[in-house]
Amino acid sequence: MSFFDIVLGKPLRSVDERAEHIGPIAGIPVFGLDALSSAAYGPEAALTLLIPLGMMGIEHIVPISFAIIVLLGLVFFSYRQTIDAYPHGGGSYTVASENLGDFAGLLAAAALMIDYILNAAVGISAGVGAVVSAFPKLQPHTLALCLGILLLLTLINMRGVKDTGVAFLIPTYLFCGSLLLVIGVGAVRVLLAHGHPVPVVAPPRLPPGTAALSLWLLLKVFASGCTAMTGVEAVSNGVQAFREPTQKNAKLTLTMIIALLMVFLAGIALLCRSYRIAATDPNGPGYQSILSQLIGAVLGRGWFYYVAIASILAVLALSANTSYADFPRLTRAIAQRDYLPHVFIIRGRRLLYSHGIFALVGFTAFLLILFGGVTDRLIPLFAIGAFLAFTLSQAGMVMHWKRNPGPGYRNRMVINGVGALATGITTVVVLVAKFSEGAWITALLIPLLILLMSAVKKHYARVDRETAVTAPMDLSQRQAPLVVVPVDRWTRISEKALRFALKLSDQVQAVHVDAEDCGDQVCDEWKKNVVSAFQAANETPPDLILLPSPFRLVLMPLVDHILLLEARNPDRQIAVLIPELVVKQWWQYFLHNQRAQLLKLLLLVRGNQRIIVINIPWYL
Amino acid sequence: MSFFDIVLGKPLRSVDERAEHIGPIAGIPVFGLDALSSAAYGPEAALTLLIPLGMMGIEHIVPISFAIIVLLGLVFFSYRQTIDAYPHGGGSYTVASENLGDFAGLLAAAALMIDYILNAAVGISAGVGAVVSAFPKLQPHTLALCLGILLLLTLINMRGVKDTGVAFLIPTYLFCGSLLLVIGVGAVRVLLAHGHPVPVVAPPRLPPGTAALSLWLLLKVFASGCTAMTGVEAVSNGVQAFREPTQKNAKLTLTMIIALLMVFLAGIALLCRSYRIAATDPNGPGYQSILSQLIGAVLGRGWFYYVAIASILAVLALSANTSYADFPRLTRAIAQRDYLPHVFIIRGRRLLYSHGIFALVGFTAFLLILFGGVTDRLIPLFAIGAFLAFTLSQAGMVMHWKRNPGPGYRNRMVINGVGALATGITTVVVLVAKFSEGAWITALLIPLLILLMSAVKKHYARVDRETAVTAPMDLSQRQAPLVVVPVDRWTRISEKALRFALKLSDQVQAVHVDAEDCGDQVCDEWKKNVVSAFQAANETPPDLILLPSPFRLVLMPLVDHILLLEARNPDRQIAVLIPELVVKQWWQYFLHNQRAQLLKLLLLVRGNQRIIVINIPWYL
């Protein structure tokens, strides 16, 4: 087993593909981590904005959470229908571009790419942020920790989907289990205490309110709370990853994820109100997260508290994983329509679209470095992309049913239409509420990405047009090429090049650029070693051409000579033989070939269709 | 005129070389800036170590300065003789390797390379340090300023030696002039006041002494003061840059530089004693440099003070320039003996050894970044290299006279012998006195560099041995190569490759790796476009070989196939035609050719002498 085999797993055959597919049990960690972990920061983000209202603010979290849950329900029904209609994976991109046209598709593609990258960055930075608040000594290493986790996730994901599922199974179910337990026990206590439970560990006291309630504030709270919904679309995009019956398994997984998330959001909101738990200032001393207060209030600070907190940390850090599962699938779908480089289509040794993973890791690392791994600075960029994609996907589904009217298609149109309207309004709310805090970056990136993808598409279309074959091959004009052999000194390397040249053509010329005043020496060696051999065989030797070089440049006179030769022989191809030393150690590379590489580059840049470069390798 | 012409000047012909040569007036700034500017930090470094002795310490600067001046005199006579003996440039490297053998030469080479790089780094950081003390707001941008000046110097130097001389003429002579004026006026005042002049602006009061005098302290003071001698060897290394009569001009330049430096060192020492000027703590508040105190004491703080201070700043920052003039000459000399990569021999468009400049800039930037642009941390690494080179050069000259006994050679041997002994002892003193403060880094780097250079030499020797031609060319075995054309889809690009293949050989095979299950399609296109054309011409079409690829890898099956073909045809060469798209915009590069580049790399790494790669460019 090679090093790569051990780290990344053995390569997989195409025929093994089925075996890599997963069921709902593994599907929840793989496609649901993102959505479920949002419960750990969505309510917190909303409650933080309510701090200025003091104890009054807590009252408002319940209606806002229920608004989000209703929205989540609409999105759920909408995506169930998408899974039905697109058994091969109907992410927002596919649905929007197939039903609303290319531009809507690109809009969805750009929104989703940004969303997945931000999800990876936010997940990692939130996890590291939690670890760092537990161990403040690690504070200076925040960014290094973020990048380390990014690397770890990448290695795990390069092993493939199934192994990934196993790796994330335990923390996910630990997280869901503890949260459900806390909510269940809390609910019973609230009922027994007739709505006024006594907390085991009392949450910190709230400072008195300093601001008045306003619609604008509630809108911002709603916008922040909506981050709890990010990641919901993952399942519909990855239907193909499920085992047979594919659609049924996918829908079951989606149902379980959404149900869990709804229970979490409702439970957290209701318990916060009953236990009088409010957010604390994340930048002030004595900061404590909502979930930490809640677990302490319901079950105290025993061993269970630490298990639950650890599972939250793990799930936050690992929620980035959804991006690893979905981003490469998305870029592949986009690349298949020629809007992204074709490397995203190539599957690697473990049946993954490796280049998509590389791109995701690169951009995530860039974001983490740019924002220093600080979650607070990343969050405002976040929800826009997700909600834009929701909207486009559901609007696309409306068109889908309109075009494919089946039984009950009107009801389906209404469901998707309501979803589209609700998420569309939410998109506008989030954009306006968070514009100045960072949403403008996303709003700027989306059109830039669209421009980029259009340019890629245009380029591929042009290449296809230019290289399309319209007629059978033309077999005329099969004269051997003119061959040029640049000679610096006469060595076995130049001898090998000349010998190869003589195999290709009987019109060969050696060219020496006389930049270092050693032309005479080269001529002597040429006569002694080449001309004599040809004379002995009664053949005409090839010409040796000496090019003067007043500026001591070696390459430009050579390139000029080749271009002149090409211009004078419009019916011939010119082959230039460039010897290259192949070295064993990397550092030896710096000792050779600089001129050869530069010559190849110059010939490519200044040359044309009729100039061919031939590398003659010399192995030391 | 192109952008490069404007920034770097027009390219120069080889025959214009004479015109680029300089006389003593331009020679002093070009080769003397380093040595002369040392007067601004050498005495300061020595006096700083005397601070603990209080007012008593000032007495000791005079004998120590005179010891340094005597040493400078010995070195001066020694280098004059070197210029006589080596009219084409006799740097320490040349002298040591020609007279003391390869190892001594490498030792000198390593010492000098480190010295030149450190000189550039220290010059820039000292200049920036002075600017930053004048404008404390710039403090956080120290490193950026250092790198900016490095870039500026690089651009100036890429224009060539003559332009450089002009650019540095004014600050150098302004510096020398103001220092001479201060010393002259000061000397007259001291004489008129019978040794007790009244300062115009009184220097700061010294704190009382806290330490006792010790020999160890005096040795350290001497070692620090010796940094004033760095840069003295520049002229003898660059004799060739002077115009006719070369040696006379070089010696005149050397004499003037050394004389000026001696006057500066003696004048500063004597005036400091008479005016009771001591160093102030460079890290404490109210720090003021020795020269600033001296100018203020002699001539007050009028406009002249500011002109003089500005010229010091300029000269310090620009003293790095000596490294630009000499480092590339040194690396060229070393590369000519095969101890460094040959790129250092190539002269660029402005008659400069551009790669030497690139290397200097790279290493200097590295040092500046590593030490944050702080002079104090760089200084201890500094003088070792210079004195080691002095010693080796002069020891080499002793051997030179012994081997070439001419008139008066015994006297010459004695002069060089005394010089070698004195600088040899100084080297040991500096190494011991500054070992723990950073000289150990230099002491470690020198053997590392020697190992590196030996490895380079060994590699080049091996390549020369392996590629040397021993017999006239063998003209047998001129069978055309077997040609392999990898085909992905049938496009005009693959058509062009196949057409070229048919020109080279009549044994051509097209190979398609069936990784994406489109083998049938390729076969159909092949039949329609290729086979039909050959049948129409009554010829046998080339084979199309389909390679299965269970792991979906495209390249490995192809490489394996080519290696197998090579193994089965031990008497033939295999030519592999790789089509390459040539794109117009850089970003389009990311859309194509990734597989072509990887295939070339794989064929180079896994291939052998008989596998030749042919690039078929396709211009869009």
Side-chain angles (χ1 to χ4, degrees), chain B residues 95-127:
Chain B
V95 176
S97 59
E98 287 193 3
N99 297 299
L100 300 175
D102 279 354
F103 181 77
L106 287 184
L107 195 59
L112 279 173
M113 279 195 279
I114 291 173
D115 191 48
Y116 285 135
I117 294 166
L118 275 167
N119 175 61
V122 168
I124 291 172
S125 72

Side-chain angles (χ1 to χ4, degrees), chain B residues 308-344:
Chain B
I309 289 290
S311 78
I312 294 170
L313 302 192
V315 160
L316 269 176
L318 300 179
S319 72
N321 200 56
T322 309
S323 297
Y324 280 92
D326 255 24
F327 185 86
R329 282 198 174 79
L330 174 67
T331 47
R332 172 176 173 254
I334 303 172
Q336 279 177 328
R337 285 180 170 81
D338 285 345
Y339 282 109
L340 279 179
H342 286 159
V343 282
F344 289 116

Side-chain angles (χ1 to χ4, degrees), chain B residues 7 458 474:
Chain B
V7 176
K458 214 167 128 194
D474 176 14

Side-chain angles (χ1 to χ4, degrees), chain B residues 204 280-288:
Chain B
T280 51
D281 178 5
N283 299 315
Y287 163 73
Q288 205 186 343

Side-chain angles (χ1 to χ4, degrees), chain A residues 88-95 97-98 105-106 109 112-113 237 240 326-346 353 356 453 457:
Chain A
H88 297 293
S92 304
Y93 171 61
T94 315
V95 175
S97 59
E98 288 194 4
L106 287 183
L112 279 174
M113 280 196 278
N237 202 19
Q240 265 189 312
D326 255 25
F327 185 86
R329 282 198 174 78
L330 174 67
T331 48
R332 171 176 174 254
I334 304 172
Q336 279 177 327
R337 285 182 170 82
D338 285 345
Y339 282 110
L340 278 180
H342 287 158
V343 284
F344 289 115
I345 304 176
I346 304 172
Y353 307 104
M453 289 188 285
K457 169 81 164 192

